[in-house]
Amino acid sequence: MTDLRKTIVCIRCPLGCEIVAEKREDIYKIQNNKCTKGWDYAFSELTNPVRYVTSTIAIDHNSAHRLPVRTSLPVPKDKMFAVMSAIKLVEVTTPVHEGQILIKNVAGTEADIIASGCSS
Ligand code: SF4
């Protein structure tokens, strides 16, 4: 892996520390974090950034009627496009209950797409 240097705004609490994270010759250096949660966040952002994906899915063949959905786990940022593509291919029929799994192991990420609302 090549050397990296990033300024990362920590989102683990409202303080929003601006953390400087670097990797040089397999040595990680993380500065300006006020606590260990910030260190963990910056390390993850530098090595394997992940995000929850939220979107909507069409219901009952009606493109104007959409069900809010999200991933059950954060997924790698480089898989977000594949996750969104998989979501676009799916349509559900009512009733759907909150927390219902709509796509298992979406795009091979081990996360499921689950309903974050309900529709009857
Ligand atoms: S480093 Fe710690 S104190 Fe700073 S924003 Fe992150 S969680 Fe909050």
Side-chain angles (χ1 to χ4, degrees):
M1 186 191 264
T2 57
D3 291 350
L4 287 171
R5 185 177 203 275
K6 280 185 176 179
T7 300
I8 296 162
V9 177
C10 180
I11 59 168
R12 294 283 168 90
C13 92
L15 281 181
C17 295
E18 278 194 19
I19 300 173
V20 177
E22 290 180 79
K23 176 184 177 284
R24 283 212 181 128
E25 296 174 5
D26 294 330
I27 296 172
Y28 292 92
K29 186 174 171 186
I30 294 173
Q31 298 174 292
N32 298 345
N33 54 302
K34 287 192 170 71
C35 70
T36 56
K37 282 193 286 186
W39 196 98
D40 292 344
Y41 178 71
F43 185 76
S44 166
E45 283 293 294
L46 200 61
T47 58
N48 181 32
V50 294
R51 297 287 184 276
Y52 281 94
V53 175
T54 60
S55 186
T56 59
I57 283 180
I59 305 175
D60 294 334
H61 311 290
N62 181 350
S63 59
H65 190 194
R66 315 265 322 163
L67 175 74
V69 298
R70 66 174 174 84
T71 52
S72 57
L73 303 167
V75 300
K77 271 177 87 175
D78 63 1
K79 290 275 191 172
M80 289 176 70
F81 186 77
V83 169
M84 289 302 293
S85 295
I87 289 172
K88 278 186 189 165
L89 296 175
V90 172
E91 191 173 300
V92 294
T93 52
T94 53
V96 179
H97 61 82
E98 190 169 351
Q100 183 174 331
I101 296 174
L102 305 171
I103 308 173
K104 282 205 72 78
N105 189 26
V106 62
T109 60
E110 297 183 11
D112 300 329
I113 296 299
I114 60 174
S116 50
C118 59
S119 187
S120 51

